[in-house]
Amino acid sequence: MDGKHVITIEGIGSAKNPHPAQERIAAMHGSQCGFCTPGIVMSLYTLLRNNPTPTDAAIESAFDGNLCRCTGYRPILEAARTFAVDTSSDSKHSTTPVDATADSGSACSGTCTASEAASCQRHVKESNGCAHSDADDSGSKSAGGSGCASASVDIEDCCRGVIPPNPAASRLYPMYKFKPLDPASEIQFPSELVDYAIRRHAAADSGDVSSMVFSGARCKAFYVPKTLDELLRIKSEHPDCKLVAGNTEIGIETKFKHMDYAHQAYVGDLDELKAVTTGEDGIRVGANLSLAQLMRVLEQQMSSQPAERTRSFSAMMANLHYFAGHQIRNVATIAGNVATASPISDLNPVLVAARAVATVASSAGGQRDIAMTEFFTGYRKTAMKPDEVLVSFFLPYNQPGEFVLAFKQARRKDDDIAIVNAGLRVNIDLDTHAVKDALFAFGGMAAMTVVARKTSAAAVGITWGDRSSLDSLLDTLGSELQLAFSTPGGMPDYRMALASSFVFKLWCQVSQALALDTVEAQTYAPQTRDIERGVSSAVQGVEQQVYNNEVRKVVGQGVPHLSALKQVTGEAVYTDDIPRFPNELYAGLVLSSKAHAKILSIDASAALAVPGVAGFFSHKDDVPGDNKWGIFHDEELYAKDEVITTGQLIGVVVADDQATAQRAARLVKVEYEVLPHILTIEDAIKQESFFPPTRRLERGDINAGFAASKRIYSGETHIGGQEHFYLETHATIAVPKREDDEMEIFASTQNPTETQHVVSGMLGVPSSRIVCRVKRLGGGFGGKESRSVSVTAAAALPAHKLQRPVRIMLDRDEDMITTGARHPFYAKWQVGVDDEGRIQAADLQIYSNGGCTFDLSVAVLERAMSHSDVCYFIPNMRVRGRVCRTNLPSNTAFRGFGGPQGQFIGESIIEHIADQLQLPAEVIRERNMYKPGQFTHFNQELTDWHVPLMWQQLKESSEFAARRAAVDAFNAANQYRKRGLAMIPTKFGISFTAQHLNQAGALVHIYTDGSVLLTHGGTEMGQGLHTKMSQIAAETLDIPLEKVYISETSTNTVANTSPTAASASSDLNGYAVVDACTQLADRLRPFRESGGGPDGKSPRTFNEAVKAAYFARVNLSANGFYKTPDIGFDWESQTGLLFFYFTQGVAVSEVEVDVLTGDHIIRRSDILMDVGRSLNQAVDIGQIEGAFAQGVGWCTLEELLHFPSTGQLFTRGPGAYKIPGFRDIPQDFRVSLLDGVQYPHLKTVMSSKGIGEPPLFLGASVLFALRDAVKAARKDNGETQVLVMHSPATAEKIRVLCADGIAKKAAAAAKPKDGEAAWAVQF
């Protein structure tokens, strides 16, 4: 940090005085759980510091290194776009729909730019058109109108930051005037550091400078050389010295691979390694330029040189654009990327293909050049000598006829490592089109960047454009770059197909550049370019506020999350933000490395010898109470005699700090006797490894139904798991109180009561001695409903034993290997239909992978079974379910809780029927859709049933028919690009299926100053629960929202709470809040109605009434309680009410697929949700968008991989496990709430509906749209059998399922040999 000035989130603003970037993200609902928000704010701040007037495209690119699991990204982008200028001039797609044919007329037109429209919220629409325009009912601009609300207000006020008081918009965005962005008022670089830099450079020029040297426990010497000569001397003395610049590689090695380097040298400030010079034949760039600096150099060259001379630079830019994210590119260097010799480096193949030359230097040998074609010698090995340093790279200009292209395919477009990448160069005689030279370099196809030398040689002499030569070239490549079925990294057929597809793309695009008269040049070339996603646009449609002449003052308004300003300014306190307690220790976990084994011995002596270690704790003689927990009391807190999964807690080392505790924990030696393990559902079925009971739902006569069916089909459906990936990992602080065995627990948990009970049981003390407190969670999604308990136990036991506070926050890899995931599912099914596709009978056998313990798996299975009908009436239906017992970490609750899996099975059956009958899938859906008053297969009547109405409304508003025709026309005209369109419904039952959990409590205090302290049983994890409860309290008490405050959730204020889960927390806690506040309102009513004013007969203000009540000795505290009426289902008799009501929705999604890579974009998604009478429409829309994005991830990106031999999780961090990023959401994202209907049967708080989980399944509309696109590709390739597409539909699966000649050859080459196992197994 020498000479650096660091600006943090806290430095740019505060909740009382936020920076404009902070203010706008908070006000426009861009922060939910808030844990990711500081990083997002700082990305926007960095962009604005470098460019105060960014374009829309620049804004979207600025977030390529950020992730959010809650929001669905749309509100963040809209908030950021209020800073954009001239958006329409540079973006392919700003506020208009994807296609002119897809324009439903809901987007505004007028004088405002796109960013200004985002600012004035013209994109918030009511059912009759734009909220802020003079649009008519069709959405078209009326005669003489501007189409913008600014027509009636000061244009500066609207378009530069005021959200105007339109009735519809105000429900999403309160009246707010934004601060202007003033670059002149920003924090300036300190003058003293400027002076310091001047002095340092002067000293370096005079030679009067010496290295700084630091030392530490893990590093003997950390050097900061000031000159290249000094660096070379250090490397001469210590050839093993690790060079550090951006810390992007060594940080991972030391943190996660636990590698230690005795000698390190920081080279980031050596100007000699950053020089750039231009010559006649090319440019020389300093090896220590950051990748961002290299991009700027290349851009300058491309703008100043003829395009034909800089084709290599253009290729480099193509891959660098998707190299990690902005944060990494700003610090990672060329040298670091090259020297680490990663086999999947995005830069190295292009350097090799471009004929780049590396210059290295040492004290002993001076400088020498190494051609990049000879630089890489093996896995993570190079031709450099140990004492050499990379100094520079020579990048030659291209010659006439020389073409260079770069390609990359990853799981996710932005910020992801490559699966396969390539740098491909050909030099062609422009007269004869004969290839004079060629070099094809690939990453991801070997243990290092590899040159396909045989293929490169075979290309020389061929005539470019001759199709037979292309076929021969692809055959040579296929035989040269073969991967075994068991190859490390997996996906052998996909990787081989990608390599060939890249060469095919090269062929087509170079053919076009040569203006050849071939189909590849004239037709295929445009189709082989990367799919370019345009700038995002969005529409939010809100319901009307007035029902039956009732107007609500606070409830229903789009109040921003009440903690939003604290979250955007870094002031929000999460568990690990709590300051250290005196005498505090940190816990390091000792986890099982075996999937199934006996524990023979545990030796902690080496760990206990580490300075700073205070103790080691395990089951042996350390657990004073009960070592088991769980619904079925089957799970050990500390493994005793046997481990039954990897990542199982064996013991805990506590030490003075995190680094010491984790290092000591790794020194604990555990000896095992390995036992056979089971990982997959298929293996569990073979070995009959199940948890009891067997569940069954049945109605009608299944045999008679099949007998009456005209056609009977059968099939199988596989559904992968999903990691929660909450941004805040599990965290706990256990604080013993030193008397009566009391303990205070601060935890990131959705279930404080369960935490309290398990800890009290483990310690053998009454629950009344344990208090669990929860301020907020940085995301939960079900992953902190039960699995947080074991993390708390790891801290509570040593805290109790040592009577010292103990803290723990899991690293991401620890969290992922210990806490379980969404359940993988497998179903075998048979369905009978009539000739019109109406289902007569369905028989489903459903299996879930429960992992190693019961946890919540039976309840998850039950919900999957109850949702397998989706929205379709099946008169004769049988569903049987089993939970498989395997040796995976115990799978657990995840947003949707089995419902999405059950619905996916049902929709897969619908798709199969449609394909067999050669009918559109939406026709089959319509013919089988429930009608109002019909009963489900678990005998529940469908009341307030709006799915058929919503289906028709969305079908019209999304212009489904026109877009279907447009998609079909596009597919007919394109062989290597395909589009798909799908429409699906959802119904999601709201209630805990365990009857006793359907209860809640609340405690409300009114203080004499008129302020209100509200406590309820739910936890805030970003879903806006505290905000909604505060609105309910304010509405019920008839006071301003500002008077209500929620501090935390704690077990000593509201006891015996249910977990915050099942999308029922607003229903349950909301009614409890109403109960408590109604009591108080009734007590205060006599004091509010009179006693005020000079005559004492006027109404009192609330504050006056409170004081009067206090002096009258009225109790100003109230305890509220609620239990859901009528609920309760018996699985044996299949009687009773399983769900209190259903939240319903419909979605349409359109995608575009690159057939040659499997890459895709979501062109547009339309969602219509029935949320009843929304408690907060902005929060509900945010939940819909966030759930949808999470559903998209579940269905398309997120893939859990385990090593079959050990059971270890491979995808244990963000490097290998990918959640959706900013540019993975729909390019055109339209979300509306159902309006204009009545709810005669809905008995919820203020007629609202739970919304957290129901929209998630609608993300599957993307998968079914992808399936539609792949079907079109398969049709072109002569594949006629019904397509089976399991979830997730990753790029790998999409590419392979397209089944073209390249894919088929790759699949044939990658077939397993006898006994050959896959490198990893998907779950």
Side-chain angles (χ1 to χ4, degrees):
M1 304 309 296
D2 181 39
K4 307 297 191 299
H5 181 221
V6 179
I7 301 175
T8 67
I9 188 72
E10 296 86 357
I12 67 172
S14 66
K16 293 181 179 179
N17 184 28
H19 184 276
Q22 295 170 321
E23 177 191 53
R24 299 186 193 192
I25 287 178
M28 296 182 70
H29 312 288
S31 180
Q32 290 187 17
C33 87
F35 202 80
C36 69
T37 304
I40 287 170
V41 170
M42 292 309 292
S43 288
L44 178 56
Y45 175 79
T46 301
L47 172 68
L48 296 175
R49 286 301 302 268
N50 291 316
N51 180 9
T53 56
T55 63
D56 276 346
I59 285 171
E60 296 215 355
S61 296
F63 297 112
D64 62 1
N66 294 94
L67 293 174
C68 174
R69 195 56 153 163
C70 296
T71 64
Y73 300 111
R74 189 275 310 166
I76 301 171
L77 290 171
E78 290 205 345
R81 287 176 63 187
T82 62
F83 295 103
V85 297
D86 194 25
T87 57
S88 59
S89 64
D90 75 302
S91 59
K92 298 180 180 65
H93 174 76
S94 54
T95 63
T96 57
V98 175
D99 285 323
T101 57
D103 189 355
S104 64
S106 59
C108 292
S109 60
T111 59
C112 290
T113 65
S115 63
E116 292 164 349
S119 176
C120 73
Q121 299 313 310
R122 286 163 46 217
H123 292 78
V124 181
K125 71 175 184 67
E126 292 180 283
S127 58
N128 64 342
C130 276
H132 286 88
S133 72
D134 45 3
D136 60 25
D137 289 346
S138 68
S140 301
K141 194 168 57 175
S142 57
S146 68
C148 179
S150 58
S152 59
V153 299
D154 188 326
I155 189 73
E156 286 299 311
D157 281 345
C158 172
C159 292
R160 298 300 175 190
V162 169
I163 298 177
N166 175 274
S170 65
R171 293 194 289 280
L172 288 184
Y173 305 96
M175 181 67 178
Y176 207 88
K177 183 174 177 65
F178 289 141
K179 293 179 180 179
L181 179 67
D182 180 11
S185 66
E186 299 288 7
I187 300 170
Q188 301 302 308
F189 193 79
S191 58
E192 55 268 34
L193 287 181
V194 175
D195 294 339
Y196 174 75
I198 293 172
R199 293 195 304 271
R200 189 176 64 179
H201 281 289
D205 291 341
S206 66
D208 184 20
V209 67
S210 59
S211 299
M212 291 187 290
V213 184
F214 305 92
S215 62
R218 299 175 64 186
C219 181
K220 292 181 181 178
F222 187 95
Y223 301 95
V224 185
K226 303 299 182 182
T227 66
L228 177 58
D229 286 341
E230 272 195 274
L231 174 61
L232 296 181
R233 178 185 57 79
I234 293 167
K235 281 290 284 182
S236 176
E237 296 174 359
H238 306 288
D240 63 342
C241 183
K242 185 74 170 180
L243 304 189
V244 184
N247 200 41
T248 58
E249 181 74 14
I250 191 173
I252 293 173
E253 291 176 342
T254 56
K255 174 67 177 176
F256 299 109
K257 298 180 181 179
H258 314 302
M259 299 170 68
D260 289 332
Y261 295 100
H263 299 91
Q264 300 176 37
Y266 176 69
V267 297
D269 291 335
L270 287 179
D271 292 338
E272 294 162 279
L273 298 181
K274 295 184 177 182
V276 178
T277 59
T278 302
E280 291 186 5
D281 298 325
I283 63 172
R284 183 171 295 278
V285 295
N288 221 36
L289 283 180
S290 72
L291 299 181
Q293 291 170 328
L294 173 63
M295 292 175 74
R296 289 193 287 272
V297 170
L298 296 177
E299 286 172 344
Q300 190 277 330
Q301 286 286 318
M302 292 163 61
S303 65
S304 62
Q305 295 284 343
E308 66 175 15
R309 299 196 78 199
T310 58
R311 286 174 175 146
S312 292
F313 301 169
S314 177
M316 290 179 201
M317 286 291 293
N319 273 10
L320 285 170
H321 181 71
Y322 294 109
F323 188 111
H326 272 76
Q327 297 91 333
I328 299 298
R329 293 197 296 271
N330 284 338
V331 295
T333 64
I334 311 171
N337 190 255
V338 171
T340 53
S342 168
I344 50 174
S345 161
D346 292 334
L347 186 57
N348 292 342
V350 194
L351 290 174
V352 171
R355 299 176 290 115
V357 177
T359 298
V360 300
S362 66
S363 289
Q367 293 193 354
R368 68 184 182 103
D369 292 337
I370 307 174
M372 288 302 299
T373 53
E374 309 300 327
F375 192 86
F376 304 104
T377 60
Y379 179 68
R380 300 281 182 173
K381 295 180 179 180
T382 73
M384 293 175 61
K385 298 175 182 177
D387 63 342
E388 288 181 325
V389 172
L390 274 166
V391 175
S392 65
F393 292 89
F394 178 71
L395 309 178
Y397 292 133
N398 296 114
Q399 304 166 8
E402 192 172 28
F403 299 90
V404 184
L405 292 177
F407 301 98
K408 172 184 176 178
Q409 182 59 40
R411 292 170 177 83
R412 184 179 65 208
K413 193 72 172 179
D414 284 332
D415 194 17
D416 194 5
I417 57 177
I419 297 171
V420 176
N421 51 30
L424 309 177
R425 177 178 58 84
V426 290
N427 193 341
I428 299 175
D429 187 305
L430 295 179
D431 295 323
T432 66
H433 299 156
V435 177
K436 298 188 292 183
D437 184 33
L439 197 153
F440 301 155
F442 295 90
M445 294 301 294
M448 61 180 181
T449 298
V450 62
V451 175
R453 298 187 185 278
K454 292 181 181 179
T455 308
S456 300
V460 176
I462 67 171
T463 299
W464 202 267
D466 175 45
R467 182 58 196 242
S468 63
S469 296
L470 170 62
D471 294 338
S472 175
L473 204 63
L474 294 177
D475 287 342
T476 302
L477 181 66
S479 62
E480 182 176 9
L481 296 183
Q482 288 204 354
L483 298 174
F485 180 73
S486 58
T487 189
M491 302 180 282
D493 52 345
Y494 179 48
R495 288 155 66 187
M496 287 189 287
L498 283 175
S500 294
S501 295
F502 291 162
V503 172
F504 180 77
K505 287 190 171 206
L506 172 77
W507 185 275
C508 294
Q509 293 176 33
V510 171
S511 295
Q512 184 185 48
L514 294 171
L516 300 181
D517 186 18
T518 65
V519 67
E520 290 82 13
Q522 301 297 320
T523 303
Y524 297 158
Q527 303 173 27
T528 63
R529 300 188 187 280
D530 286 350
I531 299 176
E532 290 293 336
R533 182 188 184 278
V535 173
S536 299
S537 69
V539 177
Q540 300 88 51
V542 298
E543 65 183 49
Q544 297 286 346
Q545 186 73 357
V546 179
Y547 282 78
N548 299 325
N549 297 318
E550 175 193 358
V551 178
R552 301 182 290 184
K553 298 178 180 178
V554 183
V555 166
Q557 300 297 323
V559 177
H561 196 293
L562 292 182
S563 294
L565 275 174
K566 293 190 286 287
Q567 291 167 186
V568 298
T569 56
E571 297 174 24
V573 176
Y574 299 86
T575 299
D576 199 46
D577 293 329
I578 297 173
R580 283 180 61 91
F581 289 88
N583 216 25
E584 183 182 285
L585 297 169
Y586 200 95
L589 304 183
V590 179
L591 303 173
S592 165
S593 60
K594 308 297 180 184
H596 190 199
K598 291 181 179 178
I599 299 175
L600 301 180
S601 66
I602 303 173
D603 182 2
S605 58
L608 293 171
V610 174
V613 170
F616 170 75
F617 300 88
S618 66
H619 77 92
K620 190 175 181 181
D621 303 321
D622 287 326
V623 178
D626 194 348
N627 191 41
K628 286 193 173 182
W629 71 289
I631 295 175
F632 296 93
H633 209 66
D634 67 318
E635 186 165 354
E636 291 180 337
L637 292 167
Y638 290 81
K640 189 176 180 182
D641 301 316
E642 187 177 304
V643 294
I644 54 177
T645 187
T646 58
Q648 185 175 354
L649 181 64
I650 295 174
V652 178
V653 174
V654 287
D656 292 340
D657 55 63
Q658 179 182 11
T660 302
Q662 292 180 336
R663 186 167 67 254
R666 293 193 293 272
L667 296 176
V668 176
K669 296 179 180 179
V670 181
E671 291 189 7
Y672 303 95
E673 178 186 325
V674 176
L675 301 172
H677 61 254
I678 298 171
L679 299 180
T680 67
I681 292 175
E682 291 81 358
D683 286 343
I685 293 171
K686 290 178 183 177
Q687 300 187 40
E688 298 186 350
S689 179
F690 302 109
F691 289 108
T694 298
R695 285 294 189 222
R696 182 187 185 101
L697 286 174
E698 187 167 1
R699 73 125 165 241
D701 187 331
I702 193 76
N703 294 323
F706 278 115
S709 299
K710 298 295 185 179
R711 303 163 187 261
I712 296 176
Y713 308 120
S714 61
E716 299 181 352
T717 301
H718 294 261
I719 306 167
Q722 184 181 25
E723 163 61 29
H724 300 86
F725 217 94
Y726 25 69
L727 270 292
E728 178 203 32
T729 58
H730 284 277
T732 290
I733 307 172
V735 185
K737 308 304 284 187
R738 292 192 171 275
E739 60 178 62
D740 298 326
D741 290 323
E742 285 188 78
M743 181 174 288
E744 192 172 31
I745 294 171
F746 301 86
S748 179
T749 181
Q750 297 173 236
N751 202 342
T753 291
E754 180 75 0
T755 301
Q756 174 195 34
H757 290 169
V758 172
V759 171
S760 69
M762 178 185 69
L763 300 183
V765 302
S767 292
S768 58
R769 310 289 172 85
I770 309 297
V771 175
C772 182
R773 299 172 59 184
V774 181
K775 185 74 171 178
R776 60 174 57 84
L777 283 67
F781 315 114
K784 297 176 181 177
E785 180 177 346
S786 63
R787 305 317 299 170
S788 59
V789 170
S790 60
V791 179
T792 297
L797 179 62
H800 176 77
K801 285 287 188 176
L802 297 175
Q803 287 298 295
R804 294 176 64 179
V806 175
R807 177 187 304 253
I808 183 171
M809 183 175 185
L810 300 185
D811 287 340
R812 178 65 60 186
D813 60 333
E814 290 178 313
D815 195 288
M816 292 185 72
I817 65 177
T818 60
T819 58
R822 185 188 296 278
H823 290 69
F825 268 70
Y826 164 65
K828 295 188 291 186
W829 49 264
Q830 188 175 48
V831 61
V833 299
D834 64 16
D835 288 332
E836 300 299 314
R838 294 180 181 87
I839 301 175
Q840 306 300 306
D843 190 8
L844 282 66
Q845 178 68 61
I846 297 176
Y847 300 92
S848 73
N849 192 327
C852 61
T853 64
F854 269 100
D855 192 71
L856 304 171
S857 294
V858 174
V860 170
L861 176 71
E862 291 171 351
R863 184 169 284 268
M865 295 171 64
S866 66
H867 284 65
S868 58
D869 62 333
V870 198
C871 294
Y872 310 117
F873 177 73
I874 304 174
N876 306 289
M877 187 174 187
R878 178 173 64 192
V879 187
R880 292 165 291 177
R882 298 298 303 269
V883 178
C884 296
R885 184 197 298 265
T886 67
N887 295 111
L888 293 181
S890 195
N891 288 316
T892 189
F894 197 143
R895 194 177 200 167
F897 204 75
Q901 293 97 312
Q903 290 180 303
F904 186 86
I905 294 166
E907 289 293 358
S908 296
I909 294 172
I910 292 290
E911 294 276 327
H912 190 97
I913 295 169
D915 286 358
Q916 290 284 7
L917 296 177
Q918 297 184 359
L919 290 171
E922 60 272 12
V923 170
I924 302 299
R925 292 184 171 102
E926 290 169 357
R927 289 177 179 174
N928 288 282
M929 196 169 288
Y930 279 118
K931 297 177 175 62
Q934 288 185 320
F935 285 78
T936 68
H937 63 301
F938 47 89
N939 299 315
Q940 181 163 336
E941 184 181 2
L942 291 173
T943 58
D944 300 325
W945 180 242
H946 298 135
V947 166
L949 171 66
M950 297 165 69
W951 182 271
Q952 291 305 318
Q953 286 186 359
L954 192 65
K955 202 171 185 182
E956 292 174 9
S957 66
S958 68
E959 295 193 326
F960 185 88
R963 290 168 61 197
R964 176 74 266 173
V967 165
D968 292 342
F970 179 91
N971 290 340
N974 291 271
Q975 182 166 345
Y976 294 106
R977 291 273 189 90
K978 297 295 179 182
R979 290 180 183 172
L981 185 67
M983 184 174 186
I984 63 172
T986 186
K987 67 169 171 59
F988 191 89
I990 305 295
S991 290
F992 285 100
T993 51
Q995 183 183 27
H996 68 280
L997 294 178
N998 293 290
Q999 60 175 304
L1003 178 63
V1004 181
H1005 300 308
I1006 302 178
Y1007 295 92
T1008 55
D1009 65 352
S1011 63
V1012 176
L1013 180 64
L1014 168 62
T1015 308
H1016 60 90
T1019 60
E1020 176 59 55
M1021 51 188 168
Q1023 83 280 42
L1025 181 62
H1026 283 356
T1027 303
K1028 287 183 174 182
M1029 296 304 99
S1030 296
Q1031 288 180 272
I1032 289 173
E1035 188 81 37
T1036 307
L1037 293 171
D1038 193 18
I1039 59 176
L1041 180 61
E1042 295 74 24
K1043 284 186 171 291
V1044 182
Y1045 180 70
I1046 298 177
S1047 174
E1048 64 179 6
T1049 306
S1050 60
T1051 55
N1052 62 347
T1053 53
V1054 178
N1056 307 316
T1057 59
S1058 297
T1060 304
S1063 301
S1065 296
S1066 290
D1067 294 348
L1068 298 173
N1069 294 287
Y1071 255 135
V1073 171
V1074 168
D1075 182 26
C1077 290
T1078 299
Q1079 296 174 46
L1080 293 169
D1082 290 344
R1083 295 174 198 168
L1084 289 173
R1085 186 170 294 108
F1087 300 95
R1088 297 189 75 173
E1089 290 177 346
S1090 62
D1095 58 357
K1097 297 180 180 180
S1098 301
R1100 285 188 175 104
T1101 67
F1102 183 75
N1103 286 13
E1104 292 171 341
V1106 168
K1107 288 182 179 178
Y1110 169 73
F1111 284 113
R1113 296 180 296 177
V1114 172
N1115 183 6
L1116 295 176
S1117 297
N1119 177 45
F1121 181 77
Y1122 172 75
K1123 63 178 181 179
T1124 307
D1126 308 325
I1127 203 76
F1129 183 80
D1130 183 273
W1131 278 85
E1132 295 302 318
S1133 64
Q1134 297 183 33
T1135 58
L1137 191 68
L1138 184 54
F1139 301 114
F1140 198 42
Y1141 63 90
F1142 296 96
T1143 297
Q1144 305 155 41
V1146 181
V1148 175
S1149 287
E1150 181 181 344
V1151 300
E1152 185 170 333
V1153 170
D1154 182 340
V1155 172
L1156 291 167
T1157 64
D1159 196 19
H1160 76 273
I1161 62 168
I1162 308 172
R1163 291 170 50 79
R1164 177 174 163 183
S1165 289
D1166 297 64
I1167 302 171
L1168 178 61
M1169 289 297 299
D1170 175 8
V1171 301
R1173 294 191 62 194
S1174 174
L1175 297 174
N1176 184 317
Q1177 299 187 58
V1179 167
D1180 284 348
I1181 284 178
Q1183 287 293 288
I1184 293 166
E1185 292 169 334
F1188 181 85
Q1190 205 166 56
V1192 169
W1194 168 57
C1195 285
T1196 65
L1197 276 176
E1198 302 180 45
E1199 192 173 35
L1200 292 168
L1201 299 173
H1202 289 254
F1203 295 117
S1205 60
T1206 64
Q1208 290 276 359
L1209 179 67
F1210 166 67
T1211 48
R1212 59 173 63 188
Y1217 187 86
K1218 299 299 172 181
I1219 68 172
F1222 275 79
R1223 293 173 63 81
D1224 295 307
I1225 64 171
Q1227 177 178 315
D1228 187 354
F1229 202 1
R1230 307 183 183 199
V1231 178
S1232 297
L1233 305 182
L1234 179 65
D1235 190 24
V1237 298
Q1238 299 297 318
Y1239 299 93
H1241 302 280
L1242 189 61
K1243 296 183 287 185
T1244 58
V1245 59
M1246 301 184 180
S1247 299
S1248 64
K1249 287 188 175 186
I1251 193 59
E1253 295 171 286
L1256 186 138
F1257 176 67
L1258 295 179
S1261 63
V1262 174
L1263 180 142
F1264 291 114
L1266 290 169
R1267 184 180 186 274
D1268 185 49
V1270 171
K1271 282 170 52 183
R1274 291 168 64 86
K1275 182 180 178 181
D1276 285 352
N1277 295 318
E1279 295 292 330
T1280 58
Q1281 68 268 36
V1282 171
L1283 171 62
V1284 177
M1285 180 178 277
H1286 303 306
S1287 178
T1290 60
E1292 171 197 5
K1293 292 179 184 175
I1294 292 169
R1295 176 68 187 94
V1296 171
L1297 287 172
C1298 285
D1300 62 321
I1302 290 174
K1304 288 177 180 178
K1305 287 181 179 179
K1311 285 184 178 179
K1313 299 176 182 177
D1314 291 342
E1316 188 178 17
W1319 174 77
V1321 179
Q1322 179 200 328
F1323 292 89

